[in-house]
Amino acid sequence: MKTIIAAFILSLTLTSAVAHADANMDRQSYCSSYAGMFKSIAAWRDQGVQPEKTLELIRGVKGIPLQVKQESIKAVYFDKSLANARGPEFGNQVRLDCLAGKVK
C-alpha cells in the first residue's frame, strides 16, 4: 500500500514537473535533471538538512520551475512512503518514470 501511495505522490509531482518543463530543454535532459534533483533532495534529507536549506541548494537546477522544486521537497521530506527513498535506484526510477511518460 505504501508503494502505491508513493507512486501516486511521485506521479503527481512528475505531472507538475513535466507540465512545466523548460521549452528549451528536451525530455531526456529534463528527466535527467529532475531525477538528479530528487536524488539530491533525498541525500540532504538523510543528512539532516532542513527543507528550507535544501530549497536554497537546488535553486540553481536549470529548467525546473520553483513550484516543482518546492513540491519535490515536500514529497521527499514529508511523505512517509518516501522515507526510505534514496540513492541511485531512487534517481533512476524517477528518471525512468519521467521518460516513460507515466505522467501527462
Side-chain angles (χ1 to χ4, degrees):
M1 183 67 165
K2 287 182 181 181
T3 303
I4 293 170
I5 293 169
F8 176 71
I9 290 173
L10 187 55
S11 291
L12 290 176
T13 305
L14 283 170
T15 299
S16 181
V18 174
H20 295 98
D22 185 1
N24 296 326
M25 197 175 223
D26 66 33
R27 187 172 186 91
Q28 180 83 295
S29 296
Y30 181 82
C31 290
S32 291
S33 292
Y34 187 72
M37 181 183 73
F38 258 83
K39 189 172 138 184
S40 294
I41 292 168
W44 288 319
R45 174 203 60 201
D46 292 348
Q47 293 171 10
V49 176
Q50 294 299 312
E52 297 80 14
K53 179 65 176 173
T54 298
L55 182 59
E56 289 177 31
L57 293 168
I58 64 170
R59 283 199 187 265
V61 176
K62 297 185 185 213
I64 300 176
L66 178 60
Q67 179 181 354
V68 173
K69 292 173 183 175
Q70 292 169 330
E71 291 169 0
S72 301
I73 289 169
K74 285 179 189 175
V76 173
Y77 272 81
F78 303 112
D79 181 337
K80 292 180 185 190
S81 62
L82 294 177
N84 293 317
R86 64 181 49 84
E89 303 84 23
F90 179 51
N92 288 336
Q93 187 59 54
V94 171
R95 183 177 166 276
L96 290 173
D97 287 348
C98 181
L99 288 172
K102 291 186 177 180
V103 294
K104 298 199 172 31

